[in-house]
Structures are given as structure tokens and as C-alpha cells.
Amino acid sequence: MNRKVTLLCTAAACMGLAACGNGGGSNAEAGTAEGGKTITIAKENDVVSLNSILAIDQKSFDVIGMFTEGLMTLDADNNIIPAIAESYELSDDQLTYTFKLRDAKWSNGEAVKAQDFVFAWNELAHNDEAEYSYLVTDDGACIKNGNEIVYDGKDDLDLGVTAKDDKTLVVELDKKSPQFLSLMVFPSFYPINEEFYKEKGDQYGLAVENLLANGPYKVVEWTKGNSVKVAKNADYWDAGNVKVDNIIVNAVPDFSTSALDFENGNTDWTQLNSTLIDRYKDNEAFKEEPESCLWYLQYNYDNKDLANKNLRKAISTVVDRKDLVENVLKDGSTVLTGFVPAGFTTGPDGKDYRETAKSPEALAGEDAVKAAQEYLDKALKELGKDEVTLTLLCDSSDPAKPVAEYIQA
């Protein structure tokens, strides 16, 4: 179940309008009819799934993070701090983490237990549909038995994670994993109440009544293709520090529409696409913030043509990333030649990883075209064909559609 993906092109800069002080929308100050403070956010895509095991898109992860909490979280300065884990210890050989859980509840009144993490992580590892199952392997958190379960298909094994008691979670690693704690912030490692999960079956995470919360909010409304509303969770262990009572996340595929909603006071935050930046860049509500997010092509390995490595290299190499980010996206995105964005982490040498990690996709211009042609010639010879025909599927929203059109061309 080794799912490899080939990178596409960009690390993005999030450019948008945000209500702050006396600028922008009014919802953040006015609240709702029920009282309290409400913030309305416009996102270009709809939520796909609120099942933390199966979710793969940013909006789904954003909402999951509103109503579910894992072992660790980030503070305002992006420092990793304990969340459901009140504390943790790392063994001298750095291969065993022991987490002590704080008193926390699910929204059905049951306590959050160490077993909830054991169940969720094993379900992630063993679920053939879980795109992020590789995160338990040595390509991620390095959890014991992760490679054997995910890559070798040994379904009779369990991950090296055990509940010593209700409040003590022990995680054994195959090898040292400096990135382990940072991965605990990621929704794929959030806990799941096993009894509730099994009761809901394949409907878990697909409707309000099929969700449990242990985080700052609870999902109270979810209209597919339209909006999700979360409300403050009074039973959250740190509810006293939750300052916003309601958050509404609307799916607005058209950036012009969401920008107009912002001007009319109906939206408090929206992203902007390249065609709107010049219009709003001098607005006091305009903000530009870097985001460590990626766009990439994911190949269908069941397609006999795409199973050919040289064909994949030809496609990946021929995409002119510089032209794409400067003349198609035009939103501050930067050229990316690997899965790790610039400014995200350092390598073993202490330098920015992206500065020293090399990739054939770094080629540009005529050099890239020449290399791509060489890869394609090799691929066609190996496949015994004169040409191949491929289908590219994409999201219909901006910027996915214009990017796909550029790649197609």
C-alpha cells in the first residue's frame, strides 16, 4: 500500500482579506442571534470528510482541528505545546515516548483515553483507503511496525503504541524521529472513540450526528457543498481560553463572490486569487502570509503507461514551474522542487532543507524540455508505443483549474 506521489510545483503565499479592528466585515463584532462572537470564513473548496483517518484536503483538516484535539498543538508562535497530553517523557535512547493525558471529555460525556489514540493510529495504519497511513512509517513518525503494516501488508501486526492505563500512552519507535512531536499536531494522529466509530460504520465523519468532539468546538451544522458551522464546546478542557463562540466556514468557489461578501460585511476572511490582488493590495484589510502547502500531481499506478518511471519523470520535468507561478498563479507562490517547502525545516547540515536538497525537477527552460524529451523517448521505447494518451482530473475551483489547463497545454 505504498502510495507515492510526484510533486508539481508550488509553495504558496496566502493572500487575503481579513476583518480586523475597524476594517472589513462586521460578523466578528456583531455575533449571531444566539449571542456571542461569530467569525465567518470563506474557503474555495467544500469539506470532503471529517473522518481524520480518511481526510486529505486542507479544508477538512481545518474543520477537524476545530472540533478534535490530539496529543500536541501549536501556540501563537507555532511552538509545539501539549494539548490532550498534559506532559510527556522521552527515553534516554530516544525510542520511547510516554504521554500522560489530562482530564478531557468527548462530547458524549466519555473520557478521552489512551486507548482512543491506540485505536485511531492502528486504524490509520491498516486502512487501505487512508492516504496518510505512511505517516506511521519511517517516512513519518517511525512508529514500531509501521513499515511492516503499511508497506509489507502485515495486517496481523499492531503498531508499537499501547495504553498502559487510561491516562498513559506509550509509543515505541523503530528509530529516532526528530519530527515525531510535530507530526502529533497533524489530524491523522488525533484520537477516535472506538465504540462510537464502530457504531457509525462507514457513515462516521459524514454528518453532524456521526461526529464526536473533544476540542474547542462542536460541529452543529453541516450543509454539504455549502457551509459548516462550529460552536464553542463547553466541555472542552480549556474552554475558558476559547474567545470566539461560533465559526462559520462557507464554501465559495468564486473568489470574486467571496471578496464581494467581505466588502458587504458578510465574510470576515477570504483568500484572493491573482486577478483580485491588484484591486485589494492597498486595502488595510489585505494580508500576505506564507503557507507551507503543496500542489502536486498524483499518478494512477494502475495505469500501465503511468507505471513507467520515465514517463512520470517526463511529465514532472516538462512543467515550467517558474512560468506557472509567475504568469498563471501570480499570487506569491514560489517554485518548489520537492515536498519540503523553503523555510519549513532544516536539514542535517543545519541549513534550510530546500537549499541543499537537489531534484531533477529544478531544471528550467530549454534544459527542462530537453531532459523531458529524453525521458519521454525512453518511456515510449520501454512501452513499445509511439504516443500515450492520458486523462488529467482536477478540482473545478480556482486555482486548480487554471493550473490543470496550463499543465495540459
Side-chain angles (χ1 to χ4, degrees), residues 98-141:
T98 301
F99 295 90
K100 290 294 183 181
L101 308 188
R102 65 178 77 250
D103 292 330
K105 291 182 179 180
W106 292 105
S107 50
N108 63 357
E110 295 183 10
V112 178
K113 301 177 180 179
Q115 180 58 33
D116 297 331
F117 289 92
V118 175
F119 170 75
W121 295 8
N122 273 291
E123 186 68 16
L124 172 69
H126 287 92
N127 193 317
D128 289 343
E129 297 181 7
E131 293 281 349
Y132 285 100
S133 61
Y134 75 88
L135 288 178
V136 305
T137 74
D138 288 356
D139 291 325

Side-chain angles (χ1 to χ4, degrees), residues 57-108:
D57 62 292
Q58 187 60 50
K59 183 173 179 181
S60 295
F61 285 142
D62 287 345
V63 176
I64 290 171
M66 294 176 187
F67 71 89
T68 317
E69 191 168 67
L71 293 171
M72 312 298 288
T73 189
L74 299 175
D75 65 14
D77 297 316
N78 286 324
N79 298 307
I80 302 168
I81 60 173
I84 294 298
E86 193 169 41
S87 63
Y88 69 90
E89 294 180 356
L90 179 60
S91 62
D92 291 340
D93 62 6
Q94 298 183 44
L95 295 179
T96 303
Y97 280 89
T98 301
F99 295 90
K100 290 294 183 181
L101 308 188
R102 65 178 77 250
D103 292 330
K105 291 182 179 180
W106 292 105
S107 50
N108 63 357

Side-chain angles (χ1 to χ4, degrees), residues 17 20 30 49 129 188 192-193 265 276 302 305 335 337 358 379:
L17 301 172
C20 54
S49 172
E129 297 181 7
S188 295
I192 293 176
N193 183 289
L276 293 171
D302 292 332
D305 292 335
V335 172
T337 58
K358 302 300 181 183

Side-chain angles (χ1 to χ4, degrees), residues 6-9 295-300 303 306 315-316 318-319 324 388-396 399-409:
T6 297
L7 81 156
L8 172 63
C9 51
W295 288 79
Y296 56 83
L297 292 176
Q298 181 159 336
Y299 295 125
N300 179 4
N303 180 300
L306 287 174
I315 297 170
S316 184
V318 80
V319 176
L324 175 58
V388 293
T389 300
L390 302 173
T391 300
L392 175 62
L393 300 180
C394 71
D395 193 342
S396 60
K401 186 177 180 181
V403 169
E405 290 170 344
Y406 178 85
I407 294 170
Q408 180 187 36

